[in-house]
Amino acid sequence: MKRASLRTDNISALQCTARKNIPMKMESRSMMVNRILAVFLVMQLGLIPIMAQKEELQTGIAGQKVILNCKGITHEAPVTWKYNAIVVRWFRSSHMKGKAPMTDRSEMDQNNKSLMVSDLRLSDAGSYSCECESRPVVTISLHVFELTISLNGHFLPNEAPELSITQNSSDSQPDLSIRLFNNHNNTETPEILRKEAPRKYILKLKKLQPKDSGTWRCHIHSDSPLINQNIVFDLKVLGFQNPALERKYSTVDSTVNLSWHLNFQEIKWKEGFTGQLNWKPQGNTTSYMLFDFNVTAWGKQHVTKKSSPFLFEENTTGSSGVLEVKLKKVQFKHSGQYQIQLVYNRRYVQSKIELLVMKVLANPVGPLARGAEMTLLCQVSSPLPPNAHLCWERVNGTQMDFKKSKQNEAKVEVTVSTAGLWNCHLIEDNNRKISLNYTVEEAPVWISYVVIGASTGASVLVFGIACLCIIAGMSWQRRRQRAKRMALARQHWLENRTCQCQHRLN
């Protein structure tokens, strides 16, 4: 009984003590919970603006498309895309359109909820936000660049294009560092015409040639914000693969082909143009149109042949863009300048081929008699440039059997006294361009005797004729003097007779 009472007393004592400690423990626990809640609320309030202000920079090129990604979004999550707080598109159970300026040019991917804006414009630059109820807001600052080319990128040789680079963004626009790379990936140094920094830059390139046609690259760099953007663009230069002036050599009675290779097929030129071929004879100021042609935007050629002073064959190859003229049995009179001209948008480019014709003549013509001489003449249709000359050379001959023309002379003569084969060469920059040969044949012995006899007979005949002329002249002179004397005597006789008649009358 005593033990039971003692236990009861202890329990009651413990209960009293516990009742006294309960308020103190409850108070400390509530304070701790409140503190934890306060810290959590502070952290949440601090994280919300940080998460909402999370922003990334993305660049785009005007005229192209840009894709803005909304990372970490599930397939079923409802998403709203906004542009400067204006709804572009949103997705709940289906896609819905907003009222932003680029809404009709935008699409939202159904799987990853990315926003694609097509045919980007400078005005599309700004702040885009991707909002989802279960995710923090993702903000993207879109920086847009626009590159424009003068003449729509279509040029003729020796024209210098102008590039205009414009930027737009929601933030302040940085100063740009611009580098250009040509179609061979070599650095080009353009001239800065105008710099409306930081928004607009206008650059002038070098004068272009057909070989500059192709894809060029513009690299744009900025340190703050960090931007490294490449913009590729095409430059097309319509022209010839021939040089501006080409010299073509031919010999009399041979066939020559004059051809011009247009590059519109290689550079995929999509504009129509026209052209014509004119011939200007050597030493003449009058030009003759041989044919004209036009090429459509689809690359089809149409050629119209004109009346000309000589016959020629015209051949065009549409697949390769080659215009060709074939001259058969070329004559000296066919020499001159053949000029083809392309006309595009009231601008034109020309390419000339100068046809130079060579001929060989002998004086006298025919076999060379023993002891006689012959003059061989080699002549071209126009004066030669300083780096070219003509020369006669006897095959298997010595240094004495060589004759070179003087500078800028269009002919060279050599006197031949023996039979043999002679070659006339046209040399340009130590390269043999064309050659003509002439064989001097020795006359047979009997021909020599005939020639000598004929010469002697002719001399005797001439001497006889001369003698006859002299004798006839002397005889005529005598008759004339006799007639004069008779006329004088008759005059005296008449005068004397008149005097006698007068005396008788007196």
Side-chain angles (χ1 to χ4, degrees), residues 151 154-159 208-209 237-240 244 269 272-276 278 293 339-352:
L151 301 175
H154 290 69
F155 301 94
L156 296 180
N158 296 319
E159 292 182 342
L208 299 178
Q209 298 300 325
V237 186
L238 178 66
F240 305 93
W269 184 273
F273 61 92
T274 61
Q276 63 185 33
N278 297 321
F293 64 93
Q339 175 183 280
I340 195 166
Q341 178 176 280
L342 298 184
V343 180
Y344 165 69
N345 200 16
R346 298 183 181 180
R347 293 136 48 206
Y348 67 91
V349 59
Q350 296 176 343
S351 177
K352 298 178 183 178

Side-chain angles (χ1 to χ4, degrees), residues 9-10 56 66 78 137 139 159 201 212 225 243 263 286 299 308 352-353 389 443:
D9 293 338
N10 290 335
E56 60 181 81
V66 66
V137 177
T139 304
E159 292 182 342
Y201 299 78
D212 296 318
N263 68 342
T286 304
S308 64
K352 298 178 183 178
I353 295 180
H389 66 273

